[in-house]
């Protein structure tokens, strides 16, 4: 039995049927079965897998181009790739295999948050993300959007991040939700820049409204700002008609 099969059996022992039922509802990604494993347990296992010597489970996954049976298996692959110590070229090769297999927002977001090494070599990684930001596939594009939010909301890149968000035109739900989340997250640190984006109506109306909604749901946005943003949303709706979000 190979390391991939052994790891799959180990993952099955962590399965929680009650959590699986809940998780399946919020994932809404029926194309790959799930086991129902809580994210903290997956993270622990990913850190362990990332430290294995050459020829371990992660190397087998890379050799087999990320072939998986369960979503948690693919998420483990993405997280372990993030935790592994490697060169930027090796990390890029891992992402080239992992990203096309992403089939849910949780797989995308939980793994992308581990790629802290992007912040140590931002010029390389910002350029690398371009191919995913130009993808027509929903979760490849969401990966690019979430990576910008997680690792590039800083003084050097904020203008470029907001420009890239504004340039994206997609009808895919998880792409637009990702952009709205990214814009709302950016608002906490760069309110004036994000307000300019919103006032200039650079986002489609659905994403514009959803970004404002997420700002208003945030505990890090003041009550005064929330009211101001709500007034901006009402004005937008009056001009374009009420668009349901």
């Amino acid at each position: 039995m190979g390391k991939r099969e052994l790891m799959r059996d180990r993952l099955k022992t962590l399965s929680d049927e009650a959590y699986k039922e809940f998780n399946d509802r919020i994932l809404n990604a029926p194309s790959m079965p799930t086991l129902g494993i809580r994210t903290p347990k997956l993270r622990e296992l990913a850190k362990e897998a990332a430290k294995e010597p050459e020829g371990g489970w992660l190397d087998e996954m890379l050799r087999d181009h990320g072939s998986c049976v369960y979503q948690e298996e693919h998420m483990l692959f993405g997280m372990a790739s993030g935790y592994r110590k490697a060169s930027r070229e090796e990390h890029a090769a891992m992402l080239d295999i992992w990203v096309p297999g992403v089939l849910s927002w949780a797989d995308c977001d939980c793994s992308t948050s581990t790629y802290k090494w992007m912040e140590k070599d931002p010029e390389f990684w910002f350029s690398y993300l371009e191919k995913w930001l130009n993808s027509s596939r929903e979760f490849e594009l969401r990966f690019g959007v979430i990576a910008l939010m997680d690792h590039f909301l800083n003084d050097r890149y904020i203008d470029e991040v907001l420009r890239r968000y504004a340039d994206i035109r997609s009808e895919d739900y998880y792409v637009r939700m990702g952009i709205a989340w990214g814009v709302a997250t950016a608002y906490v640190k760069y309110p004036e820049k994000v307000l300019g984006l919103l006032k200039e109506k650079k986002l489609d109306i659905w994403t514009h409204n959803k970004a404002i909604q997420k700002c208003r749901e945030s505990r890090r946005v003041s009550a005064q700002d929330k009211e101001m943003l709500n007034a901006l949303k009402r004005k937008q709706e009056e001009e374009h008609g009420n668009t349901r979000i």
Side-chain angles (χ1 to χ4, degrees):
M1 183 180 291
K3 291 181 173 61
R4 289 171 62 249
E5 290 74 19
L6 288 170
M7 180 64 83
R8 192 172 297 144
D9 287 344
R10 188 174 177 186
L11 286 170
K12 289 177 181 178
T13 68
L14 299 174
S15 179
D16 181 330
E17 190 59 37
Y19 179 72
K20 171 178 164 53
E21 183 178 346
F22 161 78
N23 200 43
D24 284 350
R25 288 199 303 271
I26 64 172
L27 279 184
N28 189 31
S31 54
M32 186 182 287
T34 65
L35 289 167
I37 303 174
R38 296 179 185 273
T39 302
K41 291 184 177 180
L42 274 178
R43 288 201 185 281
E44 290 178 11
L45 194 54
K47 290 176 182 178
E48 178 184 323
K51 295 177 181 178
E52 289 181 351
E54 186 176 348
W57 172 81
L58 183 54
D59 287 329
E60 282 201 4
M61 288 293 291
L62 292 167
R63 183 197 66 198
D64 295 337
H65 300 284
S67 176
C68 299
V69 174
Y70 299 100
Q71 284 200 52
E72 289 91 344
E73 192 176 5
H74 193 263
M75 191 184 302
L76 181 66
F77 174 34
M79 289 180 178
S81 297
Y83 292 131
R84 169 171 276 191
K85 292 182 179 180
S87 69
R88 67 186 192 183
E89 289 77 17
E90 289 170 328
H91 277 136
M94 294 177 199
L95 293 185
D96 286 346
I97 294 172
W98 174 74
V99 175
V102 175
L103 291 172
S104 75
W105 62 266
D107 185 4
C108 173
D109 301 1
C110 292
S111 298
T112 303
S113 67
T114 69
Y115 304 151
K116 304 295 185 182
W117 23 262
M118 286 188 175
E119 298 164 29
K120 297 178 180 179
D121 194 357
E123 186 174 349
F124 174 85
W125 288 109
F126 196 88
S127 177
Y128 170 83
L129 290 175
E130 195 67 28
K131 66 180 178 181
W132 304 116
L133 291 166
N134 288 320
S135 175
S136 60
R137 299 183 65 189
E138 183 171 18
F139 287 106
E140 291 182 357
L141 181 47
R142 182 179 172 100
F143 163 69
V145 167
I146 298 302
L148 291 182
M149 179 188 76
D150 282 346
H151 307 297
F152 291 93
L153 293 184
N154 55 51
D155 292 351
R156 180 177 176 183
Y157 284 99
I158 181 60
D159 291 330
E160 272 299 299
V161 169
L162 294 180
R163 183 188 68 78
R164 292 301 287 119
Y165 283 166
D167 286 347
I168 293 170
R169 287 294 177 264
S170 172
E171 295 299 316
D172 291 322
Y173 175 80
Y174 289 107
V175 172
R176 296 198 292 178
M177 282 293 289
I179 294 171
W181 184 20
V183 169
T185 302
Y187 185 86
V188 174
K189 191 173 181 181
Y190 300 99
E192 292 302 321
K193 289 182 179 293
V194 172
L195 194 58
L197 176 80
L198 296 172
K199 285 183 175 180
E200 292 173 20
K201 305 170 189 175
K202 291 186 175 181
L203 301 172
D204 66 83
I205 182 65
W206 190 97
T207 307
H208 173 101
N209 286 348
K210 183 61 73 173
I212 289 176
Q213 178 185 321
K214 287 189 170 295
C215 286
R216 295 181 69 240
E217 291 171 352
S218 173
R219 295 180 179 180
R220 297 186 293 170
V221 176
S222 70
Q224 182 178 0
D225 277 12
K226 288 179 180 180
E227 184 53 41
M228 177 268 295
L229 288 166
N230 199 37
L232 185 63
K233 175 176 175 288
R234 288 196 299 268
K235 181 180 179 181
Q236 183 87 323
E237 289 175 346
E238 289 171 1
E239 294 176 357
H240 295 276
N242 188 25
T243 300
R244 294 184 65 186
I245 61 175

